[in-house]
Amino acid sequence: MPVSEPDHHRAAHREWLLERLAHYLGRPVEETVPLSEYGLDSVLALSLYGDIEAEFGPLVEPGDIWAHPTVRELAQYMASRDTRPGGGHRIRSVFVFTGQGCQHPGMTSGLYLNSTGYRHHLDAAAEALLPYTGLSVVDLILDKDPRIRLASCAQPALFAVEYALARTLQDAGVVPAAVLGHGIGEFAAATVAGAIGLADAAQLVALRGAFMQQLPPGGGMTAACITPYEAAELVAHEPRAGIGAMNAVKSTVLSGEIAALERIEARLASRGVRCRRLAVSHAFHSPLMEPMVAKFTAAARRLPGGIARLPFYSTVYGRMATEPLYAPYWAEQLTAPVRFADAARSMLAQQAPTHVVEIGPRVVLSPYLRRMGGPACIPVCQGPESDAVDLAGVISALDAGPLAAELAGA
């Protein structure tokens, strides 16, 4: 016998409530037992109310949680007030911004030429960057300029592209529940989260890229199929090398002086461990960044910072950042390893998204995220050929935009 639509919605709300309450209370709850017996107090009740508001909209008032004391009763009440089509299946997305290395000549050109919304936002970012870059990142992209591989050009261009992609999704009604950025991607994430304005972020990104470009050559990065603990042992006696990024349980990037990396690679080869030298100009997130820290910090102190208005999962801390994102944070980010795996797992566990949207010009992080299990992963751009039609498909998959509205009414 098929399940009726009200029963289907009620079951969806019940399962959601059971998951959130288990998260807050630290143990499973029974749907027929009063929540007060599990120790639900006013603070946790208000937190649950905030989660319901963010997930489903204005279905309940704070007092309704006490008026419907069991999960079963509260779920029934929520379902009775949830009049949205498919109300038990609301999409909850988070944005993950890729880091340096995913940029390429001509990235998002198809989107720029065929999407008015994307073009508007990329032009705005390019205008904010122009006083510091001296060249338009739009021209850099459309001309397929090979300078896109230089840190001084790559970082501003990537920031502009990711900012524009995220704003285009938001215009279509895709509202992220949380954000996370890998390396340079943190600047776009912080801007979208409201911790820093576009103009200030543009100045920071341009200075960061220019200062890095001025550092002497001789640094590199190596990706290896090893754990962070194994990596720590390898760099313990290499003061000119360190851990650059921890992307997965056995996917770690080492960063530092070429000679030090060559010694490490030889040791890994003797153990039969696979490793790959990355195509980068400098040893990002390593001790070799130290010479630029002081002047970057001095410049960053002139700009305001703030606390993110959206949950911001820091790849410096490997957790949600509750601290303001101002000069000390961006300075620490220069040499600190990218703790992507820790931050991503924390975000998935705490935010319980249905979809992770990878924001960047090509797919980089989605394979790591898929291996963590749980939500669907949707890259905004599959690669160089992505265009406005592909973007419309992404927006539709996230139940947003006019195309999704048409499908819902079909």
Side-chain angles (χ1 to χ4, degrees):
M1 184 175 180
V3 179
S4 70
E5 190 67 15
D7 286 344
H8 184 76
H9 285 186
R10 192 157 47 241
H13 288 302
R14 183 174 64 247
E15 292 302 314
W16 185 88
L17 284 169
L18 288 170
E19 185 278 328
R20 295 314 296 157
L21 286 163
H23 168 75
Y24 281 122
L25 298 169
R27 54 177 171 151
V29 300
E30 296 290 336
E31 64 180 84
T32 57
V33 176
L35 296 176
S36 58
E37 293 187 19
Y38 288 103
L40 186 76
D41 58 19
S42 59
V43 174
L44 293 184
L46 287 175
S47 296
L48 179 63
Y49 162 74
D51 285 351
I52 294 171
E53 181 80 10
E55 179 72 12
F56 302 105
L59 295 188
V60 302
E61 297 295 332
D64 293 330
I65 293 173
W66 299 116
H68 302 84
T70 68
V71 167
R72 177 178 289 180
E73 291 171 287
L74 185 55
Q76 185 170 354
Y77 179 74
M78 288 169 63
S80 71
R81 294 175 57 84
D82 194 348
T83 58
R84 296 173 295 112
H89 296 281
R90 187 175 182 187
I91 281 179
R92 179 179 175 85
S93 62
V94 294
F95 288 0
V96 176
F97 297 78
T98 48
Q100 190 169 344
C102 68
Q103 77 281 352
H104 54 83
M107 59 182 178
T108 70
S109 295
L111 275 177
Y112 185 83
L113 296 173
N114 297 298
S115 169
T116 303
Y118 179 73
R119 183 164 57 251
H120 166 75
H121 289 300
L122 190 63
D123 284 343
E127 184 177 350
L129 286 160
L130 188 58
Y132 314 107
T133 58
L135 57 88
S136 167
V137 296
V138 171
D139 293 341
L140 189 78
I141 291 168
L142 296 182
D143 294 343
K144 298 185 177 181
D145 195 317
R147 287 179 294 176
I148 197 75
R149 295 186 176 88
L150 300 176
S152 57
C153 294
Q155 294 185 20
L158 191 57
F159 166 77
V161 163
E162 293 185 348
Y163 168 84
L165 287 171
R167 289 300 191 211
T168 304
L169 290 178
Q170 288 179 301
D171 287 349
V174 182
V175 180
V179 296
L180 179 157
H182 192 293
I184 188 66
E186 285 207 304
F187 288 87
T191 307
V192 170
I196 187 170
L198 175 59
D200 292 333
Q203 184 174 346
L204 276 178
V205 168
L207 290 173
R208 186 182 191 270
F211 291 169
M212 285 185 178
Q213 192 64 45
Q214 292 169 3
L215 292 172
M221 303 180 80
T222 295
C225 296
I226 55 176
T227 68
Y229 304 104
E230 293 170 316
E233 291 179 357
L234 288 166
V235 302
H237 303 293
E238 296 286 357
R240 300 290 288 170
I243 297 175
M246 295 168 280
N247 294 324
V249 174
K250 293 201 75 172
S251 181
T252 305
V253 177
L254 303 165
S255 184
E257 202 171 62
I258 294 295
L261 292 181
E262 288 174 343
R263 288 190 291 271
I264 291 171
E265 289 165 355
R267 272 176 271 173
L268 290 172
S270 69
R271 301 178 195 171
V273 176
R274 290 184 301 148
C275 58
R276 175 173 57 89
R277 185 74 61 84
L278 303 181
V280 296
S281 57
H282 292 81
F284 303 116
H285 301 284
S286 84
L288 271 63
M289 295 289 106
E290 284 291 348
M292 65 165 285
V293 171
K295 64 179 180 179
F296 180 76
T297 303
R301 282 190 178 128
R302 296 199 299 269
L303 301 174
I307 296 175
R309 294 196 292 270
L310 288 175
F312 176 93
Y313 284 81
S314 160
T315 48
V316 174
Y317 302 148
R319 59 167 173 77
M320 186 168 72
T322 55
E323 304 86 344
L325 303 179
Y326 55 90
Y329 180 84
W330 300 118
E332 183 180 358
Q333 196 221 32
L334 294 170
T335 55
V338 178
R339 297 179 60 187
F340 173 76
D342 290 341
R345 288 194 196 96
S346 179
M347 180 179 68
L348 296 181
Q350 294 174 1
Q351 299 299 325
T354 60
H355 293 71
V356 178
V357 185
E358 181 172 354
I359 310 286
R362 65 181 176 88
V363 181
V364 175
L365 300 174
S366 289
Y368 298 123
L369 292 159
R370 289 190 183 106
R371 286 199 288 271
M372 294 178 189
C377 296
I378 301 182
V380 178
C381 294
Q382 291 286 345
E385 304 306 318
S386 292
D387 57 19
V389 175
D390 299 319
L391 178 62
V394 170
I395 291 170
S396 176
L398 295 167
D399 282 353
L403 179 57
E406 289 174 17
L407 293 174

